[in-house]
Amino acid sequence: MPTGMLETTREKMRLIDREIIELIEVRTNLASEVLSSKKEMGKPIIDEEQIQKVLDRASSLAVEKGLDVDSVHQIFEILIQMSIDKQNEYSGKSEYI
């Protein structure tokens, strides 16, 4: 691959990386809305049933897109933990207390 083509491809990847980070920010910021709804419904922050639904959905999409299911599963476990951490932060709880 010629150097110019490589740099063009890398620039495309940098733009995609930025979009991914922005989407992670949007997803994580939804934690306040999720927490409010959970409080109204009397649900705990950690909802194992919902976590499993998210992981199943991510796995199905990974299969559909021909991606490695285990890797996608790991990414979504991290995203879920980020949401839980943010919900704990909003509620005044912390895993470090």
Side-chain angles (χ1 to χ4, degrees):
M1 179 180 285
T3 304
M5 190 175 207
L6 177 59
E7 283 308 310
T8 299
T9 302
R10 286 181 175 163
E11 180 58 28
K12 288 177 185 177
M13 292 176 82
R14 281 189 286 273
L15 292 171
I16 291 168
D17 291 346
R18 176 177 281 287
E19 288 178 41
I20 291 169
I21 294 298
E22 289 172 358
L23 288 171
I24 291 171
E25 176 189 29
V26 170
R27 188 185 197 286
T28 302
N29 287 339
L30 288 171
S32 66
E33 292 177 38
V34 170
L35 180 62
S36 293
S37 295
K38 285 180 178 179
K39 282 182 176 181
E40 286 178 20
M41 298 170 68
K43 288 185 167 253
I45 288 175
I46 296 176
D47 181 346
E48 294 294 341
E49 184 179 332
Q50 181 60 25
I51 289 171
Q52 193 57 55
K53 285 179 184 178
V54 171
L55 293 174
D56 290 347
R57 183 175 60 235
S59 295
S60 293
L61 288 168
V63 168
E64 181 182 310
K65 298 295 183 180
L67 299 172
D68 180 71
V69 174
D70 290 334
S71 296
V72 170
H73 195 270
Q74 289 176 3
I75 291 166
F76 272 82
E77 284 179 331
I78 292 168
L79 291 172
I80 290 165
Q81 188 58 54
M82 289 174 73
S83 180
I84 290 169
D85 292 346
K86 190 58 89 170
Q87 289 175 60
N88 280 324
E89 179 185 320
Y90 288 142
S91 70
K93 296 178 185 175
S94 173
E95 66 178 286
Y96 305 109
I97 295 176

